[in-house]
Amino acid sequence: MKDSRVFKRLVIAAVLVWMVLFAFAPNLLVLMASLGRTGDTAFVVPGLSLDAYRRLLEPVYGQILLSSLYLAGGVTLICLVCGYPFAAILARTRPPWRGWLLLLVVIPFWTNSLVRTYAMIAILNANGIVNRLLTATGLISAPLPLMYTTGAVLAGLVYTLLPFMVLPLYAALERLDPRYVEAARDLGATPARTFVRIVLPLTMPGIVSGCMLVFLPAVGMFYVADVLGGARTMLLGNFIRDQFLTSRDWPFGAAASVALTLVMGLMLLLYWRSNVRLARKELA
Amino acid sequence: MKRPVKIAYAALVYLFLYLPLVVMVIYSFNASRFSMRWKGFTLQWYDHLLHNATLLQAAAHSLYIAFLAATAASLVATITALAIYRWRFTGRKTIHAALFVMMMSPDIVIGISLLVLFMALALPLGFWTLLMAHVTLCVPFVAITVHSRLHGFDPHLIEAARDLGAGEAEVWRHVVIPMTMPAVLAGWFMSFTLSLDDVIISFFTTGPTFEVLPLRIYSMVRLGLKPEVNALCAVMILITAVAVVATQSLLKERK
């Protein structure tokens, strides 16, 4: 009995130490770095200044921040609008087929996103599939410059992140009891009204977690912007990377990272609220 | 929606998901080096891969790190999941919440926060820092998988074992561990793919002494299309597909 208590204490202590070292300490250090100053010898001189955050709001940098959030928002919206009906179709497919169709979504989900971004080049290139199709059908006479544009980055991000939207939506839609929909229809609701009043609220946690899984990486995936956007499009991820590796302005980069963490916090709060609301409704 | 419309829509989405990959795989067999035009079937790009020493070394590093990280993460995560499932202690809920937040954290935030940690600890970037970073990346995924599997159990099984005279150690050895094993294995495969796929966290946490495949591909990709890269990417897709099928079949067994 005494042995098992010692064992229990040791295991819990080990788990706590691990969590503190790799989960709490790194984030705390980033927060501290964001409040410090750059030094000549050290990367960061500790301090308590909000200077880095103030600079983040200056027009030049605020512009990067806003356009990155705007682009990620667009990617999220496109994934949601295209992914929702697709997930609904998957969720209503009969079992033997459904498993296979789902597997076909899971494979790109796990495939290296750099590999998938690279695959996009052959599609968007001047002599890539899209341009050749358009030239062959006579819609355009000269190839369109699709690569190295904001549009290419948008397409690349949608392509890489679509499975991250579909899978949580699928999980939510599969759990949805079809009897609720039938009941609403029997009571005379139009399909549109049934969707807005029944289906949408019941799948809200799936929508929020899908948006989170698309939006957060879309802000940070600097290599998509590098490979498809050239030097023109800048994501917050490129900005953070450059502050840490090129400009060596750690407090500035850390402040941008803290800002991104705050956005994540807000989205997590939204997710938690939608879950609580759903649980309350199910009890009622 | 009508049935044909549904099928057409789903087919369109699958086309979008797979067309770039299929095109890339086809080009990896294309004899022409510089143009996108088809000049006949060849395996020479795969042959080039086999003779590219830096690339092979990076690939070996990646597999090695993925194997070690998956194993270490499965161990740490299983212990964590079992601890928060079996015992009540202060910080239990915080750990559970922290695992969820870690899983959702953008890679760039994890990458730079670990970079700052390693710098603060004055650790040189390389094999060890990369390994620690990948373990940190994988632990929440395995822990949550194992924890949800544990929650699916009938708690009476443990009581029954106790009633039949099993001690704590025997309950673990004969009941808890065998029941968690499929989830742990699935978590291991998940970690293996996570580690192989990661670009951003590796970018910040490894040094020139230990280059991994995604970073090698990253520097090759920035120079534009190359048939060797097509071949390399085709191999990566194949490895991922095999790992995914293995994970799915392990997770399915419980039903």
Side-chain angles (χ1 to χ4, degrees):
Chain A
M1 202 59 210
K2 205 171 156 227
D3 270 1
S4 79
R5 196 171 299 158
V6 172
F7 171 70
K8 176 179 158 178
R9 288 233 175 99
L10 269 174
V11 170
I12 291 172
V15 168
L16 286 174
V17 166
W18 189 88
M19 290 296 289
V20 167
L21 186 59
F22 288 104
F24 296 103
N27 287 300
L28 196 67
L29 285 170
V30 169
L31 187 65
M32 277 163 59
S34 75
L35 298 172
R37 290 180 293 112
T38 44
D40 294 328
T41 46
F43 286 121
V44 178
V45 178
L48 268 180
S49 108
L50 288 173
D51 198 41
Y53 292 94
R54 233 187 325 264
R55 270 158 67 209
L56 215 53
L57 295 176
E58 276 170 21
V60 196
Y61 302 113
Q63 191 63 45
I64 295 172
L65 201 75
L66 273 184
S67 66
S68 175
L69 294 179
Y70 186 65
L71 185 68
V75 170
T76 313
L77 197 67
I78 295 173
C79 285
L80 180 63
V81 171
C82 300
Y84 201 98
F86 180 67
I89 294 169
L90 276 185
R92 294 288 159 260
T93 308
R94 267 185 286 276
W97 279 95
R98 190 167 61 187
W100 291 108
L101 290 180
L102 200 59
L103 190 69
L104 283 177
V105 181
V106 176
I107 290 174
F109 179 85
W110 285 112
T111 302
N112 190 312
S113 48
L114 184 58
V115 169
R116 300 183 64 225
T117 307
Y118 176 72
M120 261 327 238
I121 300 178
I123 302 294
L124 297 174
N125 239 349
N127 50 2
I129 298 281
V130 173
N131 268 319
R132 280 215 237 156
L133 254 168
L134 290 176
T135 331
T137 50
L139 282 172
I140 52 168
S141 50
L144 293 173
L146 294 173
M147 277 291 287
Y148 310 120
T149 57
T150 312
V153 179
L154 185 86
L157 287 171
V158 169
Y159 177 63
T160 336
L161 295 169
L162 185 61
F164 290 79
M165 176 66 85
V166 170
L167 291 179
L169 284 179
Y170 166 82
L173 282 158
E174 197 226 19
R175 259 201 312 267
L176 176 74
D177 190 338
R179 281 175 301 182
Y180 288 129
V181 178
E182 283 160 29
R185 295 304 305 276
D186 286 348
L187 292 169
T190 60
R193 199 174 153 81
T194 311
F195 179 74
V196 173
R197 299 296 302 267
I198 309 290
V199 182
L200 217 53
L202 286 174
T203 51
M204 202 41 102
I207 295 174
V208 179
S209 62
C211 288
M212 201 154 44
L213 286 174
V214 171
F215 185 85
L216 295 173
V219 175
M221 289 171 99
F222 58 79
Y223 51 88
V224 179
D226 277 356
V227 172
L228 298 173
R232 265 183 242 171
T233 316
M234 255 243 216
L235 300 181
L236 191 59
N238 300 67
F239 176 76
I240 295 176
R241 178 200 55 189
D242 293 346
Q243 295 310 317
F244 272 89
L245 300 183
T246 324
S247 324
R248 298 272 166 185
D249 190 345
W250 283 30
F252 203 17
S257 170
V258 171
L260 184 54
T261 312
L262 286 179
V263 172
M264 171 183 72
L266 275 177
M267 295 184 88
L268 279 171
L269 200 68
L270 207 65
Y271 174 71
W272 179 73
R273 288 264 309 258
S274 71
N275 256 336
V276 168
R277 206 174 297 146
L278 189 67
R280 214 181 285 145
K281 265 200 193 117
E282 269 169 0
L283 278 178
Chain B
M1 270 192 285
K2 294 271 187 302
R3 205 177 135 81
V5 179
K6 280 187 190 176
I7 293 175
Y9 184 73
L12 204 68
V13 174
Y14 281 117
L15 186 73
F16 175 63
L17 286 177
Y18 280 92
L19 185 70
L21 298 181
V22 170
V23 169
M24 189 172 68
V25 173
I26 291 174
Y27 278 123
S28 74
F29 296 111
N30 188 2
S32 157
R33 178 167 187 107
F34 294 107
S35 95
M36 300 287 282
R37 253 170 245 293
W38 183 256
K39 291 264 171 69
F41 181 87
T42 179
L43 285 174
Q44 62 167 311
W45 311 122
Y46 290 88
D47 192 53
H48 277 219
L49 285 188
L50 285 178
H51 291 100
N52 187 333
T54 14
L55 205 61
L56 287 183
Q57 198 194 30
H61 282 169
S62 270
L63 290 173
Y64 186 52
I65 279 284
F67 180 83
L68 291 179
T71 310
S74 302
L75 200 72
V76 175
T78 308
I79 293 172
T80 308
L82 288 170
I84 57 178
Y85 170 73
R86 194 86 178 86
W87 297 318
R88 302 286 169 270
F89 55 94
T90 10
R92 179 178 158 271
K93 282 211 168 133
T94 318
I95 291 181
H96 200 188
L99 287 171
F100 189 72
V101 173
M102 282 168 83
M103 198 165 75
M104 285 293 178
S105 292
D107 288 351
I108 187 140
V109 170
I110 302 178
I112 67 139
S113 65
L114 288 173
L115 172 70
V116 174
L117 175 77
F118 296 144
M119 288 291 138
L121 296 174
L123 293 174
L125 295 181
F127 170 77
W128 288 104
T129 50
L130 183 69
L131 181 62
M132 283 189 270
H134 278 206
V135 172
T136 308
L137 164 71
C138 298
V139 162
F141 289 88
V142 188
I144 298 225
T145 313
V146 173
H147 191 255
S148 62
R149 159 103 182 163
L150 286 166
H151 256 282
F153 282 167
D154 187 350
H156 294 122
L157 284 172
I158 292 177
E159 280 165 38
R162 286 232 179 247
D163 285 349
L164 293 169
E168 179 80 16
E170 281 163 304
V171 168
W172 283 83
R173 193 175 335 129
H174 296 294
V175 183
V176 179
I177 291 174
M179 286 196 300
T180 23
M181 241 11 230
V184 176
L185 267 178
W188 190 93
F189 274 103
M190 211 185 271
S191 304
F192 191 81
T193 12
L194 268 175
S195 166
L196 273 187
D197 284 357
D198 171 69
V199 182
I200 297 182
I201 295 173
S202 308
F203 185 85
F204 288 106
T205 54
T206 191
T209 50
F210 198 83
E211 193 179 33
V212 284
L213 196 56
L215 295 182
R216 182 84 226 131
I217 298 178
Y218 184 45
S219 48
M220 289 167 84
V221 158
R222 276 196 285 189
L223 303 172
L225 284 172
K226 277 215 186 82
E228 296 98 312
V229 184
N230 285 333
L232 181 61
C233 291
V235 175
M236 299 272 290
I237 296 170
L238 186 71
I239 295 175
T240 311
V242 170
V244 166
V245 173
T247 318
Q248 294 296 98
S249 55
L250 278 167
L251 280 176
K252 217 178 272 172
E253 236 169 80
R254 69 184 167 185
K255 280 169 192 163

